């Protein structure tokens, strides 16, 4: 069962020419196109399936600074402001609210890690509150348990994954940009060593700048144009229940299970970090670079099956531009949720919050998380192909930081002062074989 998602109508006509073409209508692509359209840049967004239908509607909806790696924290902070401003700016509703995020724990080591992060966050002006045992019990009252402690991050929040990307896509069109669904980009044309066009299944758009925001498909697309971009996708499984009884927290994380209020009045339930690795040739190719990441995270990762090979998003095959590509065969990457994980998640959630027992399961789905070797996204112009701006590898954090990423992409393209320092994101850090420092959280 796919994740719930609003549908939107596409623009009428694919343009022959645009200042910028954005490939991919996930949260990153739509925010980039919106930020460009806001500045009067002519922008066309092409999406092979439906806006928001892959990772961007399959996530929890957390927009958090809490526990962010130092490289991503500035972007997370700016993104929260952009989420907040968007409703007034566009008249659209993404379901964003600064409800605060609550973390509860009985593990001294985990609590010490959160305290260290609090101390670091303070140095960059981000406030988060460590909770004593009594405070944790009070905030976590619906669990009916005692806790050693916790943390509450009051300026963080959630948005609604079923509504957010479609809402931003509508705002692109209001500002003069175009959005084309069911329109896969098959490849790029180049002239004089730089991008000169995007070949789509509906025709070619002449452009000097293309933003590749293709999520889990970005590496195989890069492979077509000779750009090495190490990416591995992890299959995550998640479910929704609803309507949920009143009084449950909006957003609660524990080591066992996490829950998030949904825009439809239910809750999303998931186990943080848990996922299956479906081996593919692409993963074997990049395996050495992922060793540091996998050796840190192996406890929560399980071996998968052939699902990734079948869906083709990590193919090493070269495709032709005049024939249908794997992206046209699989319009929406809709991996099978892992039944064992869904069962376990539901058991843990109802044990943690007995109030959830009365809420029926409404859907369960899978999602491929596109991860880079260091867990930090690749955002910026690819050195070996001028005009190609890569914006992928959001490593499970891209929903919350989508607005900041989109803004940064537009800053780089329009030569304006960047909203955050772009250096930590530069895609050329992956051109060699080093893994980089794996993100802390
Ligand atoms: C279960 C789960 C929970 C998560 N929880 C959170 C969370 O709470 N907070 C958070 O910040 N992040 C979370 N994430 C991560 C977050 O969802 C992603 O990082 C983010 O949505 C990535 O956005 P994107 O636009 O890069 O990719 P996607 O949303 O995957 O979009 C990429 C789009 O590109 C399109 N595309 C690809 N190739 C082409 C092509 N050649 N032509 C045309 N279109 C193409 C695809 O069809 C797709 O729609 C979670 C992810 C999952 C799966």
């Amino acid at each position: 069962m796919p994740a719930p998602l609003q549908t939107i109508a596409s623009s009428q006509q694919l343009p022959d020419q645009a200042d910028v073409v954005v490939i991919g209508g996930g949260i990153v692509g739509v925010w980039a196109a919106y930020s460009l359209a806001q500045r009067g840049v002519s922008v066309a967004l092409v999406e092979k399936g439906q806006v928001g239908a892959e990772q961007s509607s399959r996530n929890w909806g957390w927009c958090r600074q809490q526990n962010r790696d130092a490289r991503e924290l500035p972007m997370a902070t700016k993104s929260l402001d952009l989420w907040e401003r968007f409703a007034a700016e566009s008249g659209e509703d993404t379901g964003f609210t600064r409800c605060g995020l609550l973390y509860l724990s009985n593990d001294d080591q985990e609590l010490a890690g959160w305290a260290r992060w609090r101390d670091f966050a303070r140095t960059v002006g981000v406030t988060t509150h460590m909770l004593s045992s009594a405070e944790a019990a009070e905030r976590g009252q619906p669990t009916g348990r005692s806790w050693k402690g916790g943390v509450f991050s009051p300026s963080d929040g959630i948005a609604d994954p079923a509504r957010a990307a479609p809402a931003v896509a509508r705002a692109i069109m209001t500002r003069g940009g175009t959005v084309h669904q069911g329109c896969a980009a098959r490849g790029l044309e180049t002239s004089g060593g730089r991008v000169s066009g995007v070949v789509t299944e509906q025709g070619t758009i002449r452009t000097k700048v293309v933003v590749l925001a293709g999520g889990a498909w970005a590496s195989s697309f890069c492979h077509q144009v000779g750009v090495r971009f190490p990416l591995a996708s992890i299959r995550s499984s998640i479910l929704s229940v609803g309507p949920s009884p009143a009084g449950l927290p909006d957003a609660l994380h524990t080591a066992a299970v996490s829950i998030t209020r949904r825009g439809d009045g239910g809750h999303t339930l998931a186990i943080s970090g848990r996922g299956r690795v479906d081996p593919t040739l692409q993963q074997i190719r990049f395996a050495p670079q992922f060793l540091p990441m996998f050796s840190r995270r192996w406890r929560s990762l399980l071996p998968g099956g052939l699902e990734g090979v079948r869906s083709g998003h990590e193919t090493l095959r070269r495709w032709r531009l005049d024939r249908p590509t794997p992206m046209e065969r699989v319009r929406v990457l809709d991996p099978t949720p892992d039944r064992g994980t869904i069962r376990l998640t539901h058991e843990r959630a109802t044990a943690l919050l007995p109030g959830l027992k009365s809420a029926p399961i409404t859907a369960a789905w899978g999602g491929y998380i596109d991860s880079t070797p260091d867990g930090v996204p690749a955002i910026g112009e690819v050195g070996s192909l001028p005009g190609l701006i890569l914006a992928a590898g959001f490593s499970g954090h891209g929903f919350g930081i989508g607005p900041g990423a989109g803004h940064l992409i537009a800053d780089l393209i329009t030569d304006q002062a960047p909203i955050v320092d772009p250096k930590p994101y530069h895609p050329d850090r992956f051109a060699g074989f080093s893994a980089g420092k794996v993100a802390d959280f």
Side-chain angles (χ1 to χ4, degrees), residues 63-204:
C63 304
R64 68 173 167 95
Q65 304 163 100
Q66 179 64 42
N67 291 342
R68 279 269 172 257
D69 186 87
R71 287 163 287 185
E72 264 181 36
L73 183 56
M75 187 178 279
T77 304
K78 297 286 185 190
S79 294
L80 285 157
D81 294 340
L82 293 168
W83 276 114
E84 196 158 47
R85 269 200 339 236
F86 178 71
E89 213 170 76
S90 67
E92 293 283 351
D93 181 10
T94 61
F96 176 75
T97 157
R98 283 202 199 244
C99 56
L101 306 177
L102 175 63
Y103 291 60
L104 299 172
S105 181
N106 282 320
D107 180 336
D108 290 324
Q109 225 181 324
E110 190 169 42
L111 288 166
W114 294 345
R116 274 198 305 278
W117 188 89
R118 184 263 326 261
D119 296 344
F120 146 71
R122 224 181 241 158
T123 65
V124 290
V126 175
T127 304
T128 188
H129 304 302
M130 288 303 293
L131 305 177
S132 66
S133 179
E135 288 165 336
E138 195 187 327
R139 283 201 180 265
Q141 190 268 334
T143 69
R145 299 186 188 183
S146 60
W147 297 93
K148 276 194 177 169
V151 62
F152 183 69
S153 59
S155 55
D156 286 342
I158 55 174
D160 184 1
R163 274 189 284 174
V168 182
R170 278 193 300 267
I172 298 168
M173 293 187 269
T174 309
R175 296 221 164 9
T178 59
V179 175
H180 309 274
Q181 298 170 101
C183 183
R186 291 178 174 168
L188 304 180
E189 285 183 345
T190 59
S191 164
R194 60 166 301 134
V195 169
S196 59
V198 176
V199 180
T200 80
E201 61 179 303
Q202 293 176 16
T204 298

Side-chain angles (χ1 to χ4, degrees), residues 80-370:
L80 285 157
D81 294 340
L82 293 168
W83 276 114
E84 196 158 47
R85 269 200 339 236
F86 178 71
E89 213 170 76
S90 67
E92 293 283 351
D93 181 10
T94 61
F96 176 75
T97 157
R98 283 202 199 244
C99 56
L101 306 177
L102 175 63
Y103 291 60
L104 299 172
S105 181
N106 282 320
D107 180 336
D108 290 324
Q109 225 181 324
E110 190 169 42
L111 288 166
W114 294 345
R116 274 198 305 278
W117 188 89
R118 184 263 326 261
D119 296 344
F120 146 71
R122 224 181 241 158
T123 65
V124 290
V126 175
T127 304
T128 188
H129 304 302
M130 288 303 293
L131 305 177
S132 66
S133 179
E135 288 165 336
E138 195 187 327
R139 283 201 180 265
Q141 190 268 334
T143 69
R145 299 186 188 183
S146 60
W147 297 93
K148 276 194 177 169
V151 62
F152 183 69
S153 59
S155 55
D156 286 342
I158 55 174
D160 184 1
R163 274 189 284 174
V168 182
R170 278 193 300 267
I172 298 168
M173 293 187 269
T174 309
R175 296 221 164 9
T178 59
V179 175
H180 309 274
Q181 298 170 101
C183 183
R186 291 178 174 168
L188 304 180
E189 285 183 345
T190 59
S191 164
R194 60 166 301 134
V195 169
S196 59
V198 176
V199 180
T200 80
E201 61 179 303
Q202 293 176 16
T204 298
I205 310 173
R206 279 178 291 113
T207 187
K208 289 198 168 93
V209 184
V210 56
V211 176
L212 176 57
W217 301 81
S219 181
S220 61
F221 191 94
C222 282
H223 184 58
Q224 310 303 310
V225 291
V227 172
R228 186 177 188 284
F229 178 38
L231 208 59
S233 40
I234 312 295
R235 177 160 48 100
S236 197
S237 299
I238 174 167
L239 71 150
S240 61
V241 295
S244 333
L248 296 184
D250 289 332
L252 166 65
H253 167 88
T254 69
V257 69
S258 300
I259 75 154
T260 315
R261 187 172 299 285
R262 296 185 64 81
D264 59 14
H267 272 84
T268 295
L269 318 178
I271 299 175
S272 180
R274 188 179 167 103
R276 287 206 179 260
V277 182
D278 296 323
T280 61
L281 287 178
Q282 180 179 297
Q283 294 194 10
I284 293 166
R285 178 181 181 215
F286 295 130
Q289 256 170 302
F290 278 93
L291 279 179
M293 162 76 79
F294 284 146
S295 61
R296 275 261 303 259
R297 311 245 155 109
W298 65 271
R299 275 188 196 81
S300 45
L301 296 177
L302 307 162
L306 291 177
E307 176 123 15
V309 173
R310 280 196 291 269
S311 59
H313 63 290
E314 293 191 339
T315 182
L316 291 183
R317 196 165 67 77
R318 304 244 176 194
W319 53 72
R320 289 175 49 160
L321 302 187
D322 59 353
R323 298 253 171 90
T325 62
M327 283 106 52
E328 287 142 84
R329 187 173 55 79
V330 178
R331 293 285 174 186
V332 175
L333 200 51
D334 184 22
T336 319
D338 179 49
R339 271 201 218 150
T341 299
I342 296 295
R343 203 178 317 113
L344 183 67
T345 308
H346 191 246
E347 274 167 24
R348 287 184 180 181
T350 49
L352 179 74
L353 293 156
L356 278 176
K357 282 191 184 134
S358 60
I361 296 177
T362 47
W365 60 89
Y368 274 121
I369 294 183
D370 58 333

Side-chain angles (χ1 to χ4, degrees), residues 357-423:
K357 282 191 184 134
S358 60
I361 296 177
T362 47
W365 60 89
Y368 274 121
I369 294 183
D370 58 333
S371 195
T372 61
D374 58 11
V376 176
I379 308 170
E381 188 171 39
V382 173
S384 59
L385 185 50
L388 173 60
I389 314 288
L390 188 55
F394 280 79
S395 307
H397 318 148
F399 185 74
I401 62 174
H407 199 291
L408 175 62
I409 292 160
D411 296 338
L412 297 174
I413 292 172
T414 56
D415 233 353
Q416 289 180 22
I419 187 167
V420 294
D421 179 5
K423 275 200 255 12

